[in-house]
Amino acid sequence: MIIVIRSSANSEERGHLMTLLCRVSGSQRPIAATRINGREVIALDGSILDAQIRSTISQQKAVERIVPIKTAYKLASRAFKETDSAVVVGDALGARPVVIGDATPIIIAGPCAVENREQLLTTAHAVKAAGAQVLRGGAFKPRTSPSQFQGLGVEGLHLLDEARKETGLPIITEVMEPELVETVAQYADILQIGSRNMQNFPLLRAAGKNSPGRPVMLKRGLTATIEEWLLAAEYIMAAGNPNVILCERGIRSFDPNTRNLLDLSCVPLLHELTHLPIIVDPSHATGRRELVPTMSRASIAAGAHGLILEVHPDPNSALCDGRQSITPEQLQAIVHETTLIAQIVGGKRQFSYAA
Ligand code: PEP
Ligand code: MN
């Protein structure tokens, strides 16, 4: 269930409610309210509460109403919020703001990893010229082997900051540790939580609590079901940050011909289940740059709100994920084609879940 807090509730009334909720839910942590649709709300698993307790909660002065929600994820559910959530990106740190989640698809592009100043700034200018609206670049890299390039760390964040100042593009970069959320949020317009960390619950909570409302792009785990993914989003939202963007990046399959299996059917399905914006990552999904343009077009046709693409000025010399990286010229063609496709399917996307 979702508890909607009365906007006129005073701190004493709220205090009573929070104490009651902690007691009945057995929570050892303070319960946080999240602002959605201009209202403060708290999600609770109502199935563990008996009718008497539910009624006591609803009679609290701080409570305006209770909305029963059947699904395990609540704040993320379409049942709770019928209208699409659009997330404003880039307004906090001086970039040119963009909206993710409305009819215009957003293209996020840049290198897998920030390698050095020249590589990042060259790529940043090139992706901007090609029509991308947000710059990606990993400073902290989750690599399968500890002997692979791990990223430049905080130095990479400084270079991303410089790239934002030069181009005006908002920045997205990955955060891997709960302790680093505040640091990364000082530089990043969007925090990325990678596939390998989709169920790192302390990290999800920290991204919800310590990232001053900075949008968080949550990538689907390598073998995560859609429900597990939405519940991971719910962790971030329940900790206080409603600005979550989902990113489908392919799931593990049996066939080594592609790096992962792009689950495009999740896009229209998510439109039905959730109000959160949905981005697709055809780079990690396919692992092969020759497949990226086709799957980019398909993703927008399926109703994605945008794409995240790995771009490198010289893909064959990239320190990370060169095989799936495209050139700025290829990016420009994708921007052009997906803009045309979005004009055809844009209106339909709004209605697909209502059918
Ligand atoms: C990345 O975006 O470079 C990355 C590591 O992504 P994923 O978590 O999807 O593997
Ligand atoms: Mn990568």
Side-chain angles (χ1 to χ4, degrees):
M1 64 198 216
I2 292 182
I3 300 160
V4 181
I5 299 186
R6 195 180 294 286
S7 35
S8 58
N10 63 34
S11 53
E12 196 188 344
E13 292 163 346
R14 288 158 158 277
H16 274 136
L17 175 65
M18 298 306 180
T19 313
L20 174 68
L21 295 182
C22 275
R23 186 158 54 75
V24 300
S25 66
S27 174
Q28 301 301 309
R29 309 166 190 280
I31 289 186
T34 307
R35 188 166 282 280
I36 296 180
N37 255 358
R39 302 308 307 272
E40 278 191 286
V41 293
I42 296 170
L44 211 64
D45 178 5
S47 68
I48 59 161
L49 307 176
D50 64 29
Q52 172 71 49
I53 292 174
R54 278 203 293 271
S55 143
T56 310
I57 295 172
S58 66
Q59 283 160 21
Q60 294 296 300
K61 290 210 177 86
V63 174
E64 180 181 298
R65 68 196 150 94
I66 289 183
V67 186
I69 304 284
K70 290 203 188 82
T71 49
Y73 48 90
K74 304 195 185 294
L75 301 172
S77 71
R78 180 71 83 182
F80 171 58
K81 183 172 182 283
E82 261 181 53
T83 54
D84 288 351
S85 286
V87 172
V88 181
V89 168
D91 51 343
L93 298 173
R96 189 154 18 94
V98 298
V99 176
I100 300 184
D102 69 8
T104 311
I106 295 301
I107 309 293
I108 304 171
C112 176
V114 179
E115 297 171 9
N116 56 60
R117 186 167 182 272
E118 196 200 328
Q119 169 251 14
L120 182 67
L121 295 182
T122 307
T123 315
H125 284 292
V127 301
K128 183 180 179 184
Q133 298 101 320
V134 179
L135 176 67
R136 65 152 287 151
F140 298 94
K141 292 305 303 174
R143 303 306 302 279
T144 303
S145 158
S147 46
Q148 290 172 314
F149 176 59
Q150 305 285 307
L152 298 180
V154 174
E155 188 196 333
L157 297 178
H158 292 155
L159 293 175
L160 287 164
D161 188 34
E162 191 177 343
R164 171 179 42 228
K165 288 195 178 103
E166 278 209 11
T167 61
L169 295 178
I171 301 298
I172 176 168
T173 197
E174 178 158 355
V175 59
M176 298 200 297
E177 296 170 49
E179 298 73 24
L180 282 175
V181 164
E182 278 169 273
T183 306
V184 174
Q186 282 168 25
Y187 297 91
D189 297 283
I190 311 174
L191 303 180
Q192 172 172 325
I193 295 189
S195 289
R196 290 153 193 83
N197 274 317
M198 191 205 82
Q199 283 190 319
N200 179 340
F201 300 116
L203 179 62
L204 299 174
R205 254 190 240 111
K209 204 157 74 93
N210 305 334
S211 62
R214 206 74 87 233
V216 179
M217 188 181 82
L218 178 65
K219 298 189 98 175
R220 183 176 184 179
L222 306 178
T223 59
T225 64
I226 288 177
E227 181 162 298
E228 286 163 343
W229 187 15
L230 289 172
L231 283 168
E234 187 82 8
Y235 261 86
I236 302 170
M237 300 176 84
N241 186 349
N243 302 319
V244 179
I245 301 159
L246 300 169
C247 176
E248 160 62 32
R249 46 77 73 204
I251 45 178
R252 271 280 156 87
S253 102
F254 52 87
D255 190 341
N257 269 299
T258 51
R259 184 174 175 181
N260 289 293
L261 179 68
L262 178 54
D263 176 13
L264 269 190
S265 59
C266 85
V267 177
L269 181 58
L270 284 167
H271 280 301
E272 200 179 304
L273 302 178
T274 182
H275 53 90
L276 298 175
I278 304 146
I279 296 282
V280 174
D281 175 349
S283 308
H284 291 87
T286 62
R288 301 167 71 128
R289 76 175 73 98
E290 63 277 22
L291 302 182
V292 167
T294 312
M295 299 323 285
S296 296
R297 294 193 296 268
S299 301
I300 297 299
H305 293 108
L307 303 170
I308 180 164
L309 297 164
E310 288 191 336
V311 179
H312 198 283
D314 179 13
N316 291 331
S317 71
L319 292 182
C320 183
D321 287 348
R323 181 67 186 86
Q324 66 197 34
S325 297
I326 57 172
T327 61
E329 293 70 34
Q330 290 169 314
L331 173 66
Q332 190 167 14
I334 290 173
V335 171
H336 176 67
E337 292 160 2
T338 52
T339 304
L340 295 177
I341 292 171
Q343 283 164 8
I344 302 168
V345 298
K348 286 208 183 87
R349 183 177 58 219
Q350 310 297 321
F351 299 106
S352 59
Y353 57 83

